[in-house]
Amino acid sequence: MRIQKFIIPVVLCAIAFSGLAQENILEQYIDEALESNITLKQKTFSYEKSLEALKEAKRMFLPTLSLEAKYTRAQGGRTVVIPFGEMMNPAYDNLDIINQSMGATNPGYPNTPTYPDIEDYTLNFIREKEQETRLQLQMPVFNSAIIHNHQIKKELADVEKINVDIYKRELVKEVKTAYINYLRTQQVVEVYSNSLEVTKENLRNTSSLFENDKVTIDEVYAAKAKVKEMEKELSNAQNEQTMAGAYLNFLMNRDLNAEIEIQRPDEIIISPYPLESLKNQALQSREELKQLDKNMEINLQKIKMEKGDALPEVSLGATYGYQGEKYSFTADDDFAQAGVFLSWDIFTSGQRKAKISQAKIDMKIAIEKKLKSEKQVQLEVMNTYYNLQTSLEGIGLAKEELENYKKTFQLVNKKYQNGMANHLELANALNNEVNAENKLILARYDYYISQIVLERITSAYQFETK
């Protein structure tokens, strides 16, 4: 991903690096972090999951086909006795008497068998053995909950996408800040390295003066102590540089000890755009505010969903299968049915009304949160804007201070070489120069970091669209 031109160039860190080669190191590090950062990958996975949830919501409009089968064994249960014996046996007995009488008086009467006794029939409501295997097709025709659920899932997917964009912006800010901090620590290391060489040279000069009986031994001890002090400061600065580099490598998901290339920004001091323009830019571009808009849309869909519960649900259904006491798939065993189904909650004892009221309250909360966030964004812009102004002034003041202390050290050093100043005066002059140089470094890099923060809170960094 390559940085494009700003829509509103807020004169941020990109401008500070404008004098570098076209493919500067910072851009490369930003691209590497956007490709490899672990947390960004996790947030991207969450977005991908929300897209799958949206697909699921879309497919709820489509028919579903299921295979259902059961086989049961039962014992006991309700029974009904059908009195076939009571109804038929008396009639059969009378027929037997008539046949016997007719056969005794009429030789030509045919011989007829005796009718058997019929037992009563016991009918079990639960079959001892039963199976049912069927295919069931269902399709919603009208369901308000499915419609609004789809809209909610769509908005939730957008929220997750905005989450990714928010973290990408934050990651760009972190990478830029980490790189600037690394450059700062590297420059501080240079300052202490140079100062260490100066103190070592002073130690050699002091030792020479002592050997020539121009200073006392305490001057030599003081010079040695100053060397040790500078060695300690240099070691601390090197440790700070190592940790700054490790954090930058961590953001890029690289080996923590990987080498970091140095490209210092040009010192281009340009005032930012007017404060009101920056506020408007932030209110229009901040993803956090867009995310709150999406949350309000979700609450609106929830209100519509709760209101939609007052409407009926209509669906189509069809079933085809086989049933009986045993598994037999013949024309005598199959069955089929199809129909239109309607479900309508006509009265819910006020439950629906209470849910609608809750959803409306959630909407009010979301609106107030958006208003509060807008105020906070404007406050952030104002704070960073004035910090940037202060940083600009601080650079000028730090330069003047450094120039004065450099001249002071040069004068004191000459006096010391001529025996007109003691080592304490020389050490104080050197300390003042080193501190002033560090102040200038800090002021300059504070300015760059203020630029980075202003870029972040106005969402001025533009990502290349794929």
Side-chain angles (χ1 to χ4, degrees), residues 408-421:
T408 301
F409 176 74
Q410 291 172 359
L411 292 173
V412 172
N413 192 34
K414 286 181 181 179
K415 289 182 178 180
Y416 181 78
Q417 299 300 327
N418 295 320
M420 299 174 63

Side-chain angles (χ1 to χ4, degrees), residues 190-206 222-224 226-228 230-231 234 406 409-410 412-413 416-417 423 426-427 429-431 433-434 437:
E190 288 183 3
V191 169
Y192 282 115
S193 295
N194 295 334
S195 299
L196 179 60
E197 292 302 318
V198 171
T199 55
K200 287 182 177 178
E201 180 64 25
N202 284 335
L203 175 60
R204 287 192 290 270
N205 292 335
T206 303
K224 288 181 179 180
K226 190 62 181 177
V227 169
K228 294 301 179 182
M230 283 300 167
E231 287 177 347
L234 176 61
K406 277 186 175 180
F409 176 74
Q410 291 172 359
V412 172
N413 192 34
Y416 181 78
Q417 299 300 327
H423 194 274
L426 180 66
L430 178 60
N431 281 340
E433 181 182 349
V434 171
E437 197 161 358

Side-chain angles (χ1 to χ4, degrees), residues 291-318:
Q291 193 174 59
L292 292 174
D293 288 335
K294 290 293 180 182
N295 287 332
M296 286 192 290
E297 181 61 31
I298 290 171
N299 283 314
L300 179 60
Q301 291 299 327
K302 287 181 177 179
I303 293 173
K304 292 180 179 179
M305 178 185 287
E306 299 300 342
K307 289 182 177 179
D309 282 348
L311 300 175
E313 297 177 6
V314 182
S315 62
L316 299 176

Side-chain angles (χ1 to χ4, degrees), residues 140-203:
V141 176
F142 176 79
N143 189 321
S144 177
I146 293 178
I147 295 171
H148 295 297
N149 177 67
H150 173 259
Q151 287 298 118
I152 289 173
K153 289 297 171 58
K154 182 178 181 300
E155 299 298 336
L156 287 172
D158 289 342
V159 168
E160 290 297 333
K161 175 63 170 63
I162 293 174
N163 269 335
V164 174
D165 294 338
I166 289 173
Y167 186 75
K168 285 170 67 175
R169 288 202 181 280
E170 194 64 25
L171 182 60
V172 169
K173 187 200 82 169
E174 286 296 314
V175 170
K176 287 186 174 186
T177 303
Y179 188 66
I180 289 296
N181 280 330
Y182 182 79
L183 296 182
R184 178 186 61 80
T185 57
Q186 191 266 344
Q187 200 164 347
V188 170
V189 167
E190 288 183 3
V191 169
Y192 282 115
S193 295
N194 295 334
S195 299
L196 179 60
E197 292 302 318
V198 171
T199 55
K200 287 182 177 178
E201 180 64 25
N202 284 335
L203 175 60

Side-chain angles (χ1 to χ4, degrees), residues 314-332:
V314 182
S315 62
L316 299 176
T319 303
Y320 177 78
Y322 295 86
Q323 61 181 198
E325 292 188 349
K326 60 182 180 178
Y327 284 99
S328 177
F329 304 100
T330 67
D332 294 331

Side-chain angles (χ1 to χ4, degrees), residues 29-30 32-33 36-37 175 247-254:
Y29 287 162
I30 290 172
E32 191 170 346
S36 305
N37 183 265
V175 170
Y247 181 64
L248 179 58
N249 284 322
F250 166 76
L251 293 174
M252 294 184 287
N253 197 24
R254 302 199 308 179

Side-chain angles (χ1 to χ4, degrees), residues 79-86 118-124 325:
T79 61
V80 173
V81 178
I82 302 176
F84 289 132
E86 285 187 34
I118 297 176
E119 298 290 337
D120 291 338
Y121 181 75
T122 301
L123 175 64
N124 293 314
E325 292 188 349

